[in-house]
Amino acid sequence: MRIDVLTLFPKMFEGFTSESLLGKAIDNKIVEINIINFRDYSTNKHHKVDDSPYGGGAGMVLSVEPVYNALISIDGYKKALKILVTPQGVTFSQEKAYELSNVEHIIILCGHYEGYDERIRDLFDLEISIGDYVLTGGEIAAMVLIDAITRLVPKVISKDESHLFDSFSNNLLEHPHYTRPSEFMGKKVPEVLISGNHKLIKEWRLKESIKRTKERRMDLYNKYRKESNDE
Ligand code: SAM
């Protein structure tokens, strides 16, 4: 998978692309991430990428030209899935992350300032928000997308199937986990988990998963019930 990121703050991606799972996936050539500073594509003498809004008002607007110039400089941009991050987009989800993990080439534009020149929107296929709050810029949103998507690409997680049981994968939150010691300050690990009986462990985990989802996310539980006919 290849992801090109258009940003005004390339340094923000340095630690992100060199550490942890993503760093390894890049080293192992499973994922390729290119960070492009679209300020370099401004034809303005001072490399300006923003301007004041027509009609007046507070804040600056991201200009269309540098974004367009940077976009068309990307190899294979026409076929790539072009995503714009914005609080006005569809809300990102695990389901969307699964869908996007099958895309070969993604381009993400990180916004800044008060907003995008509306004509930038026409250059992109999809608008995604990471939640109902407003960030200063799109970099953190792009990182959220990249992290959630790339961990689902085959071979990025060494135990490939482990994400199948993550929260949201089947409309349930994940079950509780325990590790050594078997007793801590009087709190014991549930007997069943040390029983060695895999069938019972599986049943316990599903039961706990359902219980936790019901307690914390009734909306998700209702979806689970509907889809699994567990009335
Ligand atoms: N005035 C804009 C609005 O109300 O829609 C918000 C602009 S925000 C200060 C600057 C940039 O941060 C946005 O263009 C977008 O790229 C990014 N951003 C902010 N909040 C976001 C969110 N919830 N999801 C995705 N991107 C976000």
Side-chain angles (χ1 to χ4, degrees), residues 62 84-89 109-116 121 128-142 145:
L62 194 57
L84 186 146
V85 286
T86 163
Q88 302 177 22
L109 171 66
C110 306
H112 205 68
Y113 311 112
E114 191 55 32
Y116 297 107
R121 295 203 137 88
I128 295 185
S129 162
I130 61 160
D132 288 350
Y133 39 79
V134 177
L135 303 164
T136 311
E139 284 70 21
I140 294 172
L145 261 61

Side-chain angles (χ1 to χ4, degrees), residues 29-201:
K29 306 211 178 324
I30 306 168
V31 174
E32 178 188 339
I33 310 269
N34 301 309
I35 308 296
I36 300 157
N37 186 345
F38 62 88
R39 192 179 292 285
D40 297 341
Y41 293 83
S42 167
T43 50
N44 179 281
K45 184 163 79 169
H46 304 291
H47 295 291
K48 256 182 78 154
V49 290
D50 61 322
D51 215 327
S52 47
Y54 277 119
M60 299 297 271
V61 175
L62 194 57
S63 312
V64 63
E65 285 124 325
V67 173
Y68 175 74
N69 292 340
L71 196 60
I72 62 168
S73 78
I74 298 171
D75 229 17
Y77 88 96
K78 276 190 183 157
K79 278 195 183 158
L81 181 75
K82 296 172 272 298
I83 301 173
L84 186 146
V85 286
T86 163
Q88 302 177 22
V90 293
T91 309
F92 193 51
S93 62
Q94 187 67 4
E95 196 180 349
K96 197 83 199 153
Y98 267 111
E99 193 187 313
L100 296 177
S101 70
N102 293 311
V103 178
E104 237 173 76
H105 184 191
I106 294 175
I107 300 174
I108 304 175
L109 171 66
C110 306
H112 205 68
Y113 311 112
E114 191 55 32
Y116 297 107
D117 181 308
E118 201 58 20
R119 291 160 295 185
I120 291 178
R121 295 203 137 88
D122 302 336
L123 305 172
F124 287 78
D125 304 306
L126 187 60
E127 298 191 15
I128 295 185
S129 162
I130 61 160
D132 288 350
Y133 39 79
V134 177
L135 303 164
T136 311
E139 284 70 21
I140 294 172
M143 289 185 216
V144 168
L145 261 61
I146 295 169
D147 189 296
I149 294 167
T150 54
R151 66 191 294 280
L152 300 175
V153 171
K155 298 200 169 58
V156 169
I157 296 182
S158 53
K159 279 196 175 165
D160 246 356
E161 74 283 7
S162 72
H163 63 72
L164 297 177
F165 305 102
D166 278 344
S167 296
F168 310 113
S169 301
N170 46 5
N171 294 319
L172 287 175
L173 299 178
E174 201 180 36
H175 56 77
H177 293 283
Y178 293 89
T179 186
R180 270 170 275 272
S182 61
E183 186 172 340
F184 176 70
M185 294 172 88
K187 289 186 174 180
K188 289 184 179 166
V189 171
E191 279 295 322
V192 61
L193 296 180
I194 18 192
S195 69
N197 186 328
H198 294 292
K199 185 171 169 281
L200 286 183
I201 293 173

